[in-house]
Amino acid sequence: MTRTRFLAAGLLLAAVVPLAACGGGGDPLAPATQPGAGSTGGSTGGSTGAAGSVKIGSADFPEAALLGEIYAQALEAKGTTVTRQFNIGSRETYLKAITGGEVDILAEYTGSLLNFYDKNAKVTQPDEVYSALQKVVPQGLTVLDKSAAQDKNSLAVTKETANEWSLKAIPDLAAHQGDLTIGAPAEFKTRQQGLLGLKSVYNITPKEFRPLQSQATVEALKNGQVKAANIFSTDPSIAANGFVVLDDPQSLFGSDNVVPLVRTEKADSVKAALNAVSAKLDTPALADMVKQVVVDKKDAAVVAKTWLASAGLA
């Protein structure tokens, strides 16, 4: 599934701003003022400032703004002046902002961005997706190093089920498919990145499929009404409930690594700091930070600062 569908599926907890929503009224590129955005700095005009100043934007959902804050603080630690312009809106809106020069840096997702620019892309492995993405980004933009962190579709089980059935990866479900009930959005039933792919890629056909939406999927997994559930890999409910995300060795769900998308004219001045972030950021760390912001209601700037310090990047 593309990141566009991720934004529409709404599998984050109810506290999360809907991922597909566009920004509210007023100037969508006005500097962010939400809690956790941090102070703004530098010029508020276009991207014509000195090499030591940049503008960082984000999509309008908590994880994107958190990643923007991580990038901002990592650059500030190296002496760069940063202006934050978070919660711009949907991909269509914020990509216009970066191609138009209103922002210089965005946190993006490799597979979804590739499919935005190339609707016929077929690659699924992380390195293949990243390589293909590098070839299709518009002139004037570049992607820096991708991180190991991903936010994509996944199959999750409870710790109890993982222990009882000795589960570590999706193929391990094959031995238990006679007792397997999967909960997921209705479209999971007819999509290749769903039941069709489970059959063709892993030869798994569950005993039962239950079409569920949003928090109902999480509750069904918690209550034992389903044995496995389709949940995004950084959904706060995973950490909150101790769910186990099963490895996907054949990349049935594709690859959606977090990657900085940067205006080429700024790339040389920011790549060292942002590549260092990508080298340290992985999915468990990102999921934990999203939980802290969304579930624990911690300030995103504080969460970002703590992680950067733990990673030696503050």
Side-chain angles (χ1 to χ4, degrees):
M1 299 181 188
T2 66
R3 182 77 187 167
T4 300
R5 191 172 315 121
F6 292 173
L7 305 186
L11 291 179
L12 286 177
L13 297 179
V16 183
V17 176
L19 301 191
C22 293
D27 181 2
L29 298 183
T33 57
Q34 94 248 25
S39 60
T40 59
S43 169
T44 57
S47 58
T48 57
S53 68
V54 297
K55 292 180 184 157
I56 300 181
S58 85
D60 60 346
F61 60 96
E63 181 175 291
L66 171 65
L67 287 166
E69 184 63 35
I70 290 171
Y71 290 171
Q73 291 190 30
L75 287 166
E76 287 171 337
K78 300 299 183 182
T80 302
T81 299
V82 177
T83 299
R84 295 156 172 82
Q85 296 182 174
F86 298 162
N87 296 313
I88 293 171
S90 65
R91 177 169 284 111
E92 290 79 3
T93 302
Y94 65 69
L95 288 181
K96 287 180 181 177
I98 194 169
T99 55
E102 288 87 357
V103 298
D104 302 307
I105 300 168
L106 294 162
E108 258 291 2
Y109 300 85
T110 54
S112 295
L113 190 59
L114 171 62
N115 282 280
F116 182 87
Y117 289 128
D118 181 5
K119 300 296 190 293
N120 297 315
K122 303 296 183 184
V123 292
T124 59
Q125 297 297 327
D127 289 344
E128 294 174 339
V129 171
Y130 178 67
S131 178
L133 176 60
Q134 289 177 301
K135 299 173 184 177
V136 299
V137 291
Q139 185 175 4
L141 300 181
T142 187
V143 286
L144 302 182
D145 290 355
K146 65 178 173 63
S147 72
Q150 297 197 59
D151 187 0
K152 64 174 189 172
N153 283 277
S154 72
L155 276 184
V157 299
T158 63
K159 283 184 178 179
E160 292 75 16
T161 297
N163 291 333
E164 179 185 357
W165 286 0
S166 300
L167 303 177
K168 292 184 178 180
I170 294 175
D172 298 333
L173 289 170
H176 306 279
Q177 55 191 314
D179 298 311
L180 177 62
T181 301
I182 294 178
E187 60 267 23
F188 193 86
K189 183 176 182 179
T190 57
R191 298 285 172 83
Q192 176 63 21
Q193 291 178 320
L195 294 189
L196 298 183
L198 283 176
K199 175 61 176 177
S200 65
V201 175
Y202 292 118
N203 198 28
I204 293 172
T205 302
K207 175 183 178 181
E208 184 180 357
F209 171 73
R210 294 188 178 180
L212 299 168
Q213 289 293 342
S214 190
Q215 189 63 16
T217 306
V218 173
E219 292 301 321
L221 186 59
K222 287 169 58 177
N223 297 334
Q225 295 170 299
V226 299
K227 284 292 191 178
N230 174 219
I231 303 177
F232 297 135
S233 57
T234 63
D235 189 314
S237 67
I238 293 174
N241 295 284
F243 295 153
V244 176
V245 174
L246 301 178
D247 291 339
D248 180 15
Q250 299 300 316
S251 294
L252 169 62
F253 296 124
S255 303
D256 240 336
N257 299 79
V258 175
V259 67
L261 178 66
V262 180
R263 288 181 60 79
T264 303
E265 66 192 63
K266 296 288 186 177
D268 285 345
S269 64
V270 302
K271 65 181 180 181
L274 297 187
N275 285 347
V277 169
S278 292
K280 297 284 187 176
L281 188 64
D282 59 20
T283 301
L286 179 58
D288 179 66
M289 286 188 282
V290 172
K291 174 186 174 293
Q292 291 182 58
V293 172
V294 174
V295 178
D296 302 335
K297 306 300 182 184
K298 293 184 179 180
D299 188 295
V302 174
V303 173
K305 182 177 181 179
T306 301
W307 179 78
L308 286 165
S310 71
L313 300 174

